[in-house]
């Protein structure tokens, strides 16, 4: 059934798309661009916006994002113009409210889907969650990650993409809730051609780069068993799974022919977050999948973030090399080859 849906999508694409858009689909593959945390500047609890209202954040990477068939990210905060934070002030208290006008930055950069299942989506109470969902939806960006928006589906060049997102907080869909995870992924599998899952999970910090086995904790809070979660998603029908949350990159895995990226870290956080060493690494992953959603090849485009600037091209390819090292260390029977330039292929 899935193969028949894909063939139908190919025929539709040929007749409804331009030649350039139809060529990739007609060849039997699609490309997916994925990035980690995005917080383009906050107006509350205090004004903390980058220069030029953030308009230059994506100038080094938007062409790559737009060139993919579909692009996804994680919105690390809310899109709203007013509200009171629910968090008490303190050294470890962070709240992020991006103004609703900032959605144009995401649209112009080329994002199609945005996950909101993270620990900052409820910084300003549920009213701000609703503002975020409405702002993204009104501007053509699919959104998923809470009970109000479990999944999102978009037809792009005739291919039906399904997207869902999971976090670790009670106000998001949770990676720990295996019954719900299985239900959502299996249901979405029946409704789309290509199924993308993103998740926000894992402990945080430079000392959390390596992917552990079992459940992770951060300040005694359950942050999920991410190997188990990612495998469950693939076993339930997901085509590709990618994560963020630790604020640093982590390993990648080829599991039953499908790609899992356990953390893409920060991507566009020019204000409000520390940017040093690996927390400044901003990988942009582009994966090519075949008609059955299996991983063919891909590339980790390496960027480094700077305060007030966001991701900037890194000719040393530090993020790709870091992910390669972590993959070699943390994944048993690793089948991925990651070259110096970030190109990803499968071992023969």
């Amino acid at each position: 059934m899935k193969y028949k849906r894909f063939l139908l999508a190919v025929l539709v694409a040929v007749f409804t798309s331009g030649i350039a858009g139809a060529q990739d689909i007609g060849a039997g593959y699609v490309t997916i661009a994925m990035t980690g945390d995005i917080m383009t500047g906050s107006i509350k609890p205090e004004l903390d916006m980058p220069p030029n209202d953030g308009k230059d954040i994506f100038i080094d990477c938007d062409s790559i994002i737009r060139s993919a068939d579909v692009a996804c990210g994680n919105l690390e905060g809310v899109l709203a113009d007013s509200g009171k934070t629910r968090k008490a002030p303190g050294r470890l208290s962070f709240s992020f409210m991006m103004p609703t006008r900032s959605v144009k930055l995401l649209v112009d950069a080329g994002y199609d889907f945005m996950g909101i299942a993270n620990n900052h989506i409820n910084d300003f109470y549920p009213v701000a969650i609703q503002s975020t969902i409405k702002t993204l939806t009104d501007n053509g960006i699919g959104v998923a990650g809470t009970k109000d928006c479990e999944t999102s589906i978009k037809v792009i060049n005739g291919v039906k993409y399904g997207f869902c997102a999971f976090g670790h907080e009670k106000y998001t869909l949770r990676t720990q809730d295996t019954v719900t995870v299985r239900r959502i992924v299996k249901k979405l599998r029946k409704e789309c051609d290509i199924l993308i899952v993103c998740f926000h999970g894992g402990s945080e910090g430079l000392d959390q780069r390596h992917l552990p086995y079992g459940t992770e904790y951060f300040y005694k809070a359950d942050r999920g068993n991410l190997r188990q979660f990612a495998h469950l998603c693939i076993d339930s029908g997901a085509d590709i799974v990618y994560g963020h949350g630790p604020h640093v990159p982590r390993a990648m895995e080829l599991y039953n022919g499908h790609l899992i990226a356990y953390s893409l870290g920060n991507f566009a956080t020019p204000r409000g977050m520390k940017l040093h060493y690996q927390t400044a690494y901003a990988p942009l992953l582009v994966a090519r999948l075949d008609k059955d959603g299996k991983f063919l090849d891909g590339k980790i485009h390496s960027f480094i973030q700077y305060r007030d600037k966001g991701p900037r091209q890194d000719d040393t390819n530090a993020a790709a090399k870091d992910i390669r090292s972590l993959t070699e260390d943390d994944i048993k029977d690793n089948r991925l080859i990651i070259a110096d330039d970030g190109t990803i292929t499968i071992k023969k």
Side-chain angles (χ1 to χ4, degrees), residues 324-341:
R324 176 176 64 190
S325 175
L326 293 167
T327 299
E328 292 171 348
D329 288 346
D330 296 345
I331 304 300
K332 293 180 180 179
D333 301 320
N334 168 44
R335 296 192 58 221
L336 297 175
I337 300 172
I338 303 176
D340 283 348
D341 68 349

Side-chain angles (χ1 to χ4, degrees), residues 208-213 227 249-253 262 278 320-336 338 347:
Q208 301 299 320
R209 296 167 56 238
H210 287 282
L211 178 68
Y213 288 90
R227 291 182 192 253
R250 281 183 169 181
M252 293 183 180
E253 180 183 16
Y262 282 99
Q278 285 88 354
K321 293 174 182 176
D322 187 48
I323 292 172
R324 176 176 64 190
S325 175
L326 293 167
T327 299
E328 292 171 348
D329 288 346
D330 296 345
I331 304 300
K332 293 180 180 179
D333 301 320
N334 168 44
R335 296 192 58 221
L336 297 175
I338 303 176
K347 293 179 181 178

Side-chain angles (χ1 to χ4, degrees), residues 215-245:
T215 300
E216 296 186 55
Y217 295 89
F218 185 63
Y219 287 96
K220 298 183 179 180
D222 183 340
R223 290 292 184 93
N225 183 327
L226 302 182
R227 291 182 192 253
Q228 181 185 72
F229 163 79
H231 290 184
L232 172 63
C233 289
I234 299 296
D235 291 341
S236 299
D239 292 314
I240 191 165
V241 179
Y242 79 97
H244 31 75

Side-chain angles (χ1 to χ4, degrees), residues 24 51 75-76 136 147 164 210 219 245-246 276 322 337 343 345:
D24 286 359
L75 192 67
E76 188 80 339
L136 290 168
K147 292 179 181 178
C164 57
H210 287 282
Y219 287 96
H276 59 277
D322 187 48
I337 300 172
T343 299
T345 54

Side-chain angles (χ1 to χ4, degrees), residues 114-134:
M114 201 60 56
I116 61 170
N118 57 64
N119 52 306
H120 288 287
I121 193 59
N122 197 35
D123 283 354
F124 296 87
Y125 297 99
V127 65
I129 300 178
Q130 294 305 314
S131 173
T132 304
I133 294 171
K134 185 178 188 305

